[in-house]
Amino acid sequence: MEQYEPLSPAQRAATQRSMTNGRGALARRSLLRAGALGAVATAGLTACGIPAASRTGSTTPSTDHSATEKIVNFSNWTEYIDVTDDGKHRPTLDAFTKRTGIKVNYTEDINDNVEFFGKIKPQLSAGQDTGRDLMVLTDWLAARMIRLGWIQQLNPANLPHAYTNLAQRFRNPDWDPGRAYSYPWQGIATCIAYNKKATGGRKVSSVSQLLDDPSLKGRVALLSEMRDTIGMTLLDMGRRPETVTDDSYDAAIARIQKAVDSQQIRKFTGNDYTDGLSKGDIAACMAWAGDLVQLRLDDPDIEYVFPDAGFLFSTDNLLVPNKARHKTNAEKLIDYYYEPAVAAQVSAYINYVSPVAGVQPYLAKIDKSLADNPMIVPDAAMDAKAHQFRSLSQDEDTRYEEKFSKLIGA
């Protein structure tokens, strides 16, 4: 019988934060375009366990029925693909079906990484089909599932566009070098945002200002997601999140704790910083770039900065689980979304960082302002500042989340 490591209280708290006010709580598009915050059920999470990092279940390749069953079952986050104004059609998926004859059963059934993992782990651990051919998971969970042996290696022969057009910044994550098992769906950049009316016209461009500037006291928000807040602080301290150690992690915690104790920080928040930032209750904060594209259109006082010290970058990733019935069809769909013209349609709608090189001229035909926006199409200067939080072991994740939960009072 497979042994599961139960979530620690800190890990459970982190999951609850993600689902109630973090990235997991909302559509991947911004608050303003997605609409109101939806309630996310959390029942059963207290009993949810994370599998030990050992290979379990069957890793035998599944029988591929793609040749006879023109279907692909695709699970994604809500509001994370292009949709017509009436909400009845997804243009890029419709075009894929028209071109290939492959029907896409598209399901928006991912609200949170841990919650979704709880749905599929019984089948995966037992070597059974999850009923899904393709799914989108954030990098830290994608890494864990690859280590567990629950993700199928992709066939490069079916991915000519993906192999050619994958932007360099996405090619070699430490958890999947060369992208043998995954391809990014979208990139997520963490930056600093501020309301220039609330700051009296002053620019806020560093984590040091967030933590130390007395003019911002009591009007600063940091993110309730551990990797984002600690990673951004590490960079400001001249440390690299790619090589975080217990000592450097503790140093970042201590630095933030000082700002908490002095009441410099108003709160730790998820996407709900957008409301406080617009009102001016929050003068400056850490933020997710995808939220700011539309926010700035509605409020010209909102500005953003990618600090010179660097910023955190993560990805949501396309994965084919073990025993998927339609692996080749899933690979064809992945490859389709790496055609720049198709990628541009998605980017124009959801406003996150496109993983597709060459998307810019196609995006410019749709909306030149989006094509020129480094939050969607990063330039070389932005690439040079991007950093990723390294993969953590189960033990590290438990210890780090415990310390972070204590810091933020969760």
Side-chain angles (χ1 to χ4, degrees), residues 129-380:
D129 181 12
T130 66
R132 299 166 177 86
D133 303 304
L134 193 61
M135 55 192 182
V136 178
L137 296 176
T138 306
D139 44 19
W140 66 267
L141 183 55
R144 179 174 289 274
M145 291 186 65
I146 291 170
R147 287 197 305 269
L148 287 167
W150 291 354
I151 300 299
Q152 296 194 54
Q153 189 165 350
L154 300 172
N155 182 356
N158 294 327
L159 298 159
H161 294 101
Y163 180 81
T164 300
N165 295 331
L166 177 61
Q168 188 62 41
R169 69 185 72 89
F170 295 93
R171 285 187 177 268
N172 285 293
D174 65 352
W175 48 272
D176 187 16
R179 293 288 182 179
Y181 293 88
S182 68
Y183 270 89
W185 175 247
Q186 299 293 312
I188 304 162
T190 306
C191 62
I192 291 174
Y194 63 97
N195 184 322
K196 61 186 179 183
K197 182 182 291 185
T199 65
R202 295 185 60 198
K203 182 178 181 179
V204 181
S205 59
S206 71
V207 173
S208 288
Q209 286 177 270
L210 294 179
L211 299 180
D212 303 327
D213 187 339
S215 72
L216 301 175
K217 185 174 181 178
R219 299 185 296 152
V220 171
L222 304 186
L223 290 167
S224 57
E225 298 283 346
M226 180 268 286
R227 287 166 177 80
D228 294 289
T229 288
I230 297 297
M232 292 287 282
T233 304
L234 285 169
L235 288 167
D236 191 73
M237 298 170 67
R239 311 286 184 90
R240 291 173 57 87
E242 292 91 340
T243 56
V244 62
T245 63
D246 287 356
D247 287 344
S248 63
Y249 186 89
D250 288 346
I253 288 282
R255 185 162 185 227
I256 300 169
Q257 185 68 60
K258 183 179 178 181
V260 171
D261 293 343
S262 69
Q263 299 183 329
Q264 175 77 7
I265 299 172
R266 183 184 185 93
K267 61 180 177 178
F268 293 84
T269 179
N271 292 81
D272 52 330
Y273 62 76
T274 54
D275 185 53
L277 192 62
S278 293
K279 291 178 179 177
D281 297 335
I282 295 173
C285 62
M286 292 182 188
W288 291 305
D291 289 337
L292 300 176
V293 176
Q294 288 298 314
L295 189 64
R296 294 181 72 237
L297 290 178
D298 281 15
D299 189 342
D301 289 324
I302 303 301
E303 298 285 355
Y304 72 93
V305 174
F306 291 97
D308 289 340
F311 67 94
L312 254 289
F313 192 77
S314 58
T315 53
D316 286 330
N317 306 276
L318 294 155
L319 304 159
V320 178
N322 281 357
K323 299 300 179 181
R325 288 181 62 87
H326 313 107
K327 179 174 181 283
T328 297
N329 290 345
E331 290 167 339
K332 289 179 179 179
L333 185 59
I334 293 172
D335 197 60
Y336 168 75
Y337 277 105
Y338 273 80
E339 296 179 22
V342 178
Q345 289 181 256
V346 176
S347 292
Y349 189 80
I350 65 175
N351 298 164
Y352 276 79
V353 178
S354 175
V356 180
V359 72
Q360 192 167 22
Y362 295 91
L363 189 56
K365 293 178 181 178
I366 301 170
D367 187 330
K368 190 175 186 305
S369 68
L370 295 178
D372 294 337
N373 191 329
M375 291 193 287
I376 299 173
V377 185
D379 54 24

Side-chain angles (χ1 to χ4, degrees), residues 26-156:
L26 299 172
R28 283 302 210 225
R29 293 166 61 217
S30 71
L31 276 168
L32 296 179
R33 291 183 65 181
L37 173 65
V40 181
T42 60
L45 276 179
T46 55
C48 178
I50 295 293
S54 59
R55 290 180 176 265
T56 55
S58 173
T59 58
T60 305
S62 57
T63 301
D64 192 349
H65 298 269
S66 294
T68 56
E69 298 176 7
K70 297 298 183 180
I71 296 169
V72 59
N73 299 307
F74 184 8
S75 284
N76 204 350
W77 299 72
T78 57
E79 300 283 354
Y80 212 17
I81 201 169
D82 53 309
V83 181
T84 55
D85 290 342
D86 61 10
K88 295 181 179 180
H89 300 281
R90 299 181 177 93
T92 56
L93 287 178
D94 292 346
F96 173 78
T97 297
K98 184 176 181 180
R99 180 197 296 184
T100 64
I102 299 170
K103 178 184 177 182
V104 182
N105 295 321
Y106 186 82
T107 307
E108 295 180 330
D109 60 346
I110 306 178
N111 290 310
D112 173 83
N113 287 286
V114 175
E115 180 196 36
F116 182 73
F117 188 71
K119 293 179 183 178
I120 62 176
K121 69 181 180 184
Q123 292 97 334
L124 290 169
S125 62
Q128 298 172 354
D129 181 12
T130 66
R132 299 166 177 86
D133 303 304
L134 193 61
M135 55 192 182
V136 178
L137 296 176
T138 306
D139 44 19
W140 66 267
L141 183 55
R144 179 174 289 274
M145 291 186 65
I146 291 170
R147 287 197 305 269
L148 287 167
W150 291 354
I151 300 299
Q152 296 194 54
Q153 189 165 350
L154 300 172
N155 182 356

